[in-house]
Amino acid sequence: MLPELQNTRELLQIMVRRFGLLDKNCCTVGEQEISLIQSHILYEIDHQYEPSMQQVAETLAMDITTFSRQIQTLIKKNLVRKTPLPEDRRVYILSLTVEGKFVTTAIDYRMNTHLDEVFSFMTDAEKQTVIQSVKLLNESMLKSKMCCTPLG
């Protein structure tokens, strides 16, 4: 492996650790302990229009069995509602409960506050450079054949 690629991997590893992406629980809102994957699921349900279970699972690149277990946990926590689609009762639509919307809004607020604080140490030009670079990295990852697949 080229030294600059190893260094790039190290930079990304450090960023993941500093964002707390390896923590078991990403946050606590009120009495609710929310894992990182649950946070991602809540975010997607909130940002997609009446998503089906399959749509959210695909967006997060999760197998449906693992995803279903997470949904059951979120239903037990009274954060998510699962409703059969009237036209096809095999398809379930996901939505947030009132408490789920509250938790999602609280997580969004914390993340935005955290990012605002991180960006406060940068000039506007530096901030725009970082945002453009992340967009470019995301676009390139989408084109990669290895994106969202386990390393074998």
Side-chain angles (χ1 to χ4, degrees):
M1 178 180 285
L2 296 171
E4 63 269 12
L5 290 179
Q6 182 63 35
N7 191 34
T8 302
R9 178 171 180 214
E10 184 178 342
L11 289 171
L12 292 171
Q13 291 284 120
I14 291 168
M15 186 175 68
V16 164
R17 281 195 305 270
R18 288 190 178 151
F19 259 117
L21 298 180
L22 301 177
D23 297 345
K24 181 177 179 237
N25 289 314
C26 81
C27 48
T28 303
V29 178
E31 300 289 313
Q32 300 283 2
E33 287 279 334
I34 307 298
S35 71
L36 183 61
I37 191 59
Q38 290 168 352
S39 171
H40 282 277
I41 292 168
L42 293 171
Y43 179 89
E44 290 303 329
I45 293 170
D46 193 37
H47 286 83
Q48 293 185 32
Y49 178 73
E50 296 183 349
S52 69
M53 284 191 53
Q54 192 67 38
Q55 286 172 308
V56 178
E58 285 174 10
T59 298
L60 296 172
M62 289 180 74
D63 74 271
I64 197 69
T65 305
T66 303
F67 183 77
S68 293
R69 279 194 299 268
Q70 290 295 332
I71 290 299
Q72 283 310 117
T73 301
L74 291 169
I75 289 170
K76 285 178 189 166
K77 291 182 175 197
N78 194 36
L79 301 178
V80 170
R81 190 176 306 111
K82 184 171 93 168
T83 311
L85 192 64
E87 309 83 85
D88 185 350
R89 302 200 56 84
R90 296 170 298 169
V91 176
Y92 286 92
I93 300 301
L94 300 174
S95 58
L96 298 176
T97 63
V98 172
E99 189 172 351
K101 185 65 178 167
F102 174 79
V103 167
T104 302
T105 301
I107 293 170
D108 283 348
Y109 177 79
R110 286 185 192 166
M111 286 303 301
N112 289 333
T113 301
H114 178 69
L115 289 170
D116 285 345
E117 198 257 343
V118 168
F119 281 125
S120 75
F121 300 104
M122 299 179 197
T123 66
D124 285 343
E126 290 168 334
K127 179 180 173 182
Q128 288 309 311
T129 298
V130 170
I131 291 168
Q132 284 306 115
S133 297
V134 171
K135 285 180 183 177
L136 181 60
L137 181 62
N138 280 334
E139 289 167 11
S140 295
M141 289 173 77
L142 243 179
K143 296 173 188 172
S144 170
K145 289 179 178 61
M146 292 180 71
C147 181
C148 301
T149 58
L151 299 174

